[in-house]
Coordinates of all heavy atoms in Angstrom, one line a residue:
V36 N -3.1 -6.5 -3.2 CA -3.6 -5.4 -2.4 C -2.9 -4.1 -2.9 O -3.5 -3.1 -3.3 CB -3.4 -5.6 -0.9 CG1 -3.8 -4.4 -0.1 CG2 -4.1 -6.9 -0.5
A37 N -1.5 -4.1 -2.8 CA -0.8 -3.0 -3.2 C 0.7 -3.4 -3.5 O 1.2 -4.3 -2.8 CB -0.8 -1.9 -2.1
T38 N 1.3 -2.7 -4.4 CA 2.7 -3.0 -4.7 C 3.5 -1.6 -4.9 O 2.8 -0.6 -5.2 CB 2.9 -3.8 -6.0 OG1 2.4 -3.1 -7.1 CG2 2.2 -5.1 -5.9
I39 N 4.7 -1.7 -4.7 CA 5.6 -0.5 -4.9 C 6.9 -1.0 -5.5 O 7.5 -1.9 -5.0 CB 5.8 0.2 -3.5 CG1 6.7 1.5 -3.7 CG2 6.4 -0.7 -2.5 CD1 6.6 2.4 -2.6
R40 N 7.2 -0.3 -6.6 CA 8.4 -0.7 -7.3 C 9.6 0.2 -6.9 O 9.4 1.2 -6.3 CB 8.2 -0.5 -8.8 CG 7.1 -1.4 -9.4 CD 7.2 -1.4 -10.9 NE 8.5 -2.0 -11.4 CZ 8.8 -2.2 -12.6 NH1 7.9 -1.8 -13.6 NH2 9.9 -2.7 -13.0
T41 N 10.8 -0.2 -7.2 CA 12.0 0.6 -7.1 C 11.7 1.9 -7.9 O 11.3 1.9 -9.0 CB 13.2 -0.1 -7.7 OG1 13.4 -1.3 -7.0 CG2 14.4 0.8 -7.5
G42 N 11.9 3.0 -7.2 CA 11.5 4.3 -7.8 C 10.1 4.8 -7.3 O 9.6 5.9 -7.7
D43 N 9.5 3.9 -6.4 CA 8.3 4.3 -5.7 C 7.0 4.4 -6.6 O 6.0 5.1 -6.2 CB 8.5 5.6 -4.9 CG 9.5 5.4 -3.8 OD1 9.7 4.3 -3.4 OD2 10.0 6.5 -3.4
T44 N 7.0 3.7 -7.7 CA 5.7 3.6 -8.4 C 4.8 2.6 -7.7 O 5.2 1.5 -7.4 CB 6.0 3.1 -9.9 OG1 6.8 4.0 -10.5 CG2 4.6 3.0 -10.6
T45 N 3.6 3.0 -7.4 CA 2.7 2.2 -6.6 C 1.5 1.7 -7.5 O 1.1 2.4 -8.5 CB 2.1 2.9 -5.4 OG1 1.5 4.2 -5.8 CG2 3.3 3.3 -4.5
E46 N 0.9 0.6 -7.0 CA -0.3 0.1 -7.6 C -1.2 -0.4 -6.5 O -0.7 -1.0 -5.6 CB 0.0 -1.0 -8.6 CG -1.2 -1.7 -9.2 CD -0.8 -2.9 -10.1 OE1 0.4 -3.2 -10.2 OE2 -1.8 -3.5 -10.7
Y47 N -2.5 -0.1 -6.6 CA -3.5 -0.5 -5.6 C -4.7 -1.2 -6.2 O -5.1 -0.9 -7.3 CB -4.0 0.7 -4.8 CG -3.0 1.4 -4.0 CD1 -2.3 2.5 -4.5 CD2 -2.7 1.0 -2.7 CE1 -1.3 3.2 -3.7 CE2 -1.8 1.7 -1.9 CZ -1.1 2.8 -2.4 OH -0.2 3.4 -1.7
A48 N -5.2 -2.2 -5.5 CA -6.5 -2.8 -5.8 C -7.6 -1.7 -5.7 O -7.5 -0.8 -4.8 CB -6.8 -3.9 -4.9
D49 N -8.5 -1.7 -6.6 CA -9.6 -0.7 -6.5 C -10.3 -0.7 -5.1 O -10.7 0.4 -4.6 CB -10.6 -1.0 -7.6 CG -10.1 -0.6 -9.0 OD1 -9.1 0.1 -9.1 OD2 -10.7 -1.1 -10.0
S50 N -10.4 -1.8 -4.5 CA -11.1 -1.9 -3.3 C -10.4 -1.2 -2.1 O -11.1 -1.0 -1.1 CB -11.4 -3.4 -2.9 OG -10.1 -4.1 -2.8
V51 N -9.1 -0.9 -2.2 CA -8.4 -0.3 -1.1 C -7.9 1.1 -1.4 O -7.4 1.8 -0.6 CB -7.2 -1.2 -0.7 CG1 -7.7 -2.6 -0.4 CG2 -6.1 -1.2 -1.7
K52 N -8.1 1.6 -2.7 CA -7.7 2.9 -3.0 C -8.3 4.0 -2.1 O -9.5 3.9 -1.8 CB -8.0 3.2 -4.5 CG -7.1 2.5 -5.5 CD -7.5 2.8 -6.9 CE -6.6 2.1 -7.9 NZ -7.1 2.4 -9.3
G53 N -7.4 4.9 -1.7 CA -7.9 5.9 -0.8 C -8.0 5.5 0.7 O -8.2 6.4 1.6
R54 N -7.8 4.2 1.0 CA -7.8 3.8 2.4 C -6.4 3.2 2.8 O -6.1 3.3 4.0 CB -8.9 2.7 2.6 CG -10.3 3.2 2.2 CD -11.3 2.1 2.6 NE -11.2 0.9 1.9 CZ -11.0 -0.3 2.5 NH1 -10.9 -0.4 3.8 NH2 -10.9 -1.4 1.7
F55 N -5.8 2.6 1.9 CA -4.5 1.9 2.2 C -3.4 2.7 1.5 O -3.5 3.2 0.4 CB -4.5 0.5 1.7 CG -5.4 -0.5 2.4 CD1 -6.3 -0.1 3.3 CD2 -5.2 -1.8 2.2 CE1 -7.2 -1.0 3.9 CE2 -6.1 -2.8 2.8 CZ -7.0 -2.3 3.7
T56 N -2.2 2.7 2.2 CA -1.0 3.3 1.6 C 0.2 2.4 1.8 O 0.5 1.9 2.9 CB -0.7 4.6 2.3 OG1 -1.8 5.5 2.2 CG2 0.5 5.3 1.7
V57 N 0.9 2.1 0.7 CA 2.1 1.2 0.7 C 3.3 2.1 0.7 O 3.3 3.2 0.0 CB 2.0 0.2 -0.4 CG1 2.1 0.9 -1.8 CG2 3.2 -0.8 -0.2
S58 N 4.3 1.8 1.4 CA 5.5 2.5 1.4 C 6.7 1.6 1.6 O 6.6 0.4 2.0 CB 5.5 3.6 2.6 OG 5.4 3.0 3.8
R59 N 7.9 2.1 1.3 CA 9.1 1.3 1.3 C 10.3 2.1 1.7 O 10.4 3.3 1.3 CB 9.3 0.7 -0.1 CG 10.5 -0.2 -0.3 CD 10.3 -0.7 -1.8 NE 11.5 -1.4 -2.2 CZ 11.5 -2.0 -3.4 NH1 10.5 -1.9 -4.3 NH2 12.6 -2.7 -3.8
D60 N 11.2 1.6 2.5 CA 12.4 2.4 2.9 C 13.6 1.8 2.2 O 13.6 0.8 1.5 CB 12.5 2.5 4.4 CG 12.8 1.1 5.1 OD1 13.3 0.2 4.4 OD2 12.6 1.0 6.3
V61 N 14.7 2.5 2.5 CA 16.0 2.1 1.8 C 16.5 0.7 2.2 O 17.3 0.2 1.5 CB 17.1 3.2 2.1 CG1 16.7 4.5 1.4 CG2 17.3 3.3 3.5
K62 N 16.0 0.2 3.3 CA 16.4 -1.1 3.8 C 15.5 -2.2 3.2 O 15.5 -3.3 3.7 CB 16.5 -1.2 5.3 CG 17.5 -0.3 5.9 CD 17.6 -0.4 7.4 CE 18.6 0.5 8.0 NZ 18.7 0.4 9.5
N63 N 14.6 -1.8 2.3 CA 13.6 -2.7 1.7 C 12.7 -3.3 2.8 O 12.3 -4.5 2.8 CB 14.3 -3.8 0.9 CG 14.7 -3.3 -0.4 OD1 13.9 -2.7 -1.1 ND2 15.9 -3.7 -0.9
T64 N 12.3 -2.5 3.7 CA 11.1 -2.8 4.6 C 9.9 -2.1 4.0 O 9.9 -0.9 3.7 CB 11.3 -2.2 6.0 OG1 12.4 -2.9 6.6 CG2 10.1 -2.4 6.9
V65 N 8.9 -3.0 3.7 CA 7.7 -2.4 3.1 C 6.6 -2.4 4.1 O 6.4 -3.4 4.9 CB 7.3 -3.3 1.8 CG1 7.0 -4.7 2.2 CG2 6.2 -2.6 1.1
S66 N 5.8 -1.3 4.1 CA 4.7 -1.2 5.1 C 3.4 -1.0 4.4 O 3.4 -0.5 3.2 CB 5.0 0.0 6.0 OG 6.2 -0.2 6.8
L67 N 2.4 -1.3 5.1 CA 1.0 -1.1 4.5 C 0.2 -0.4 5.6 O -0.1 -1.1 6.6 CB 0.4 -2.4 4.1 CG -1.0 -2.3 3.4 CD1 -0.8 -1.6 2.0 CD2 -1.6 -3.6 3.3
Q68 N -0.1 0.8 5.5 CA -1.0 1.5 6.4 C -2.4 1.4 5.9 O -2.8 1.7 4.8 CB -0.6 3.0 6.4 CG -1.5 3.8 7.3 CD -1.3 3.5 8.8 OE1 -0.2 3.2 9.3 NE2 -2.5 3.4 9.5
M69 N -3.2 0.7 6.8 CA -4.6 0.4 6.4 C -5.5 1.3 7.3 O -5.5 1.1 8.5 CB -4.8 -1.1 6.6 CG -3.9 -1.9 5.8 SD -4.3 -3.7 5.9 CE -4.0 -4.0 7.7
N70 N -6.3 2.1 6.7 CA -7.2 3.0 7.4 C -8.7 2.7 7.0 O -8.9 2.1 5.9 CB -6.9 4.5 7.1 CG -5.6 4.9 7.6 OD1 -5.1 4.4 8.6 ND2 -4.9 5.8 6.9
K71 N -9.6 3.1 7.8 CA -11.0 2.9 7.4 C -11.3 1.4 7.1 O -11.9 1.1 6.1 CB -11.4 3.8 6.3 CG -11.3 5.3 6.6 CD -11.7 6.2 5.5 CE -11.5 7.6 5.8 NZ -11.8 8.5 4.6
L72 N -10.8 0.5 7.9 CA -10.9 -0.9 7.6 C -12.4 -1.3 7.6 O -13.2 -0.9 8.4 CB -10.1 -1.7 8.6 CG -8.6 -1.7 8.3 CD1 -7.8 -2.1 9.6 CD2 -8.3 -2.7 7.2
K73 N -12.6 -2.3 6.8 CA -14.0 -2.9 6.6 C -13.9 -4.4 6.9 O -12.9 -5.0 6.7 CB -14.5 -2.7 5.2 CG -14.5 -1.2 4.7 CD -14.9 -1.1 3.2 CE -14.8 0.3 2.7 NZ -15.2 0.4 1.3
P74 N -15.1 -5.0 7.3 CA -15.1 -6.4 7.5 C -14.6 -7.2 6.3 O -13.9 -8.2 6.4 CB -16.6 -6.7 7.7 CG -17.1 -5.4 8.4 CD -16.4 -4.3 7.6
E75 N -14.8 -6.7 5.1 CA -14.4 -7.4 3.9 C -12.8 -7.3 3.7 O -12.3 -8.0 2.8 CB -15.1 -6.9 2.6 CG -15.1 -5.4 2.4 CD -16.3 -4.7 2.9 OE1 -16.8 -5.1 4.1 OE2 -16.8 -3.8 2.3

């Protein structure tokens, strides 16, 4: 779906680009904000 590397380089599946956002904090908690969700 989405990945984030040390240094904050991100990668997204084409199907979620523009709708999902991945983020990461200094404690290595990773979050996925999912907007405009679809049944698929």
Side-chain angles (χ1 to χ4, degrees):
V36 176
T38 61
I39 183 166
R40 298 195 64 180
T41 302
D43 293 340
T44 301
T45 58
E46 178 182 0
Y47 293 93
D49 288 343
S50 59
V51 306
K52 284 181 181 177
R54 300 188 297 122
F55 291 11
T56 302
V57 64
S58 60
R59 179 175 174 178
D60 67 16
V61 295
K62 295 182 179 179
N63 280 315
T64 295
V65 62
S66 298
L67 185 68
Q68 178 66 41
M69 304 185 292
N70 299 327
K71 300 179 181 178
L72 282 160
K73 305 175 181 180
E75 50 264 44

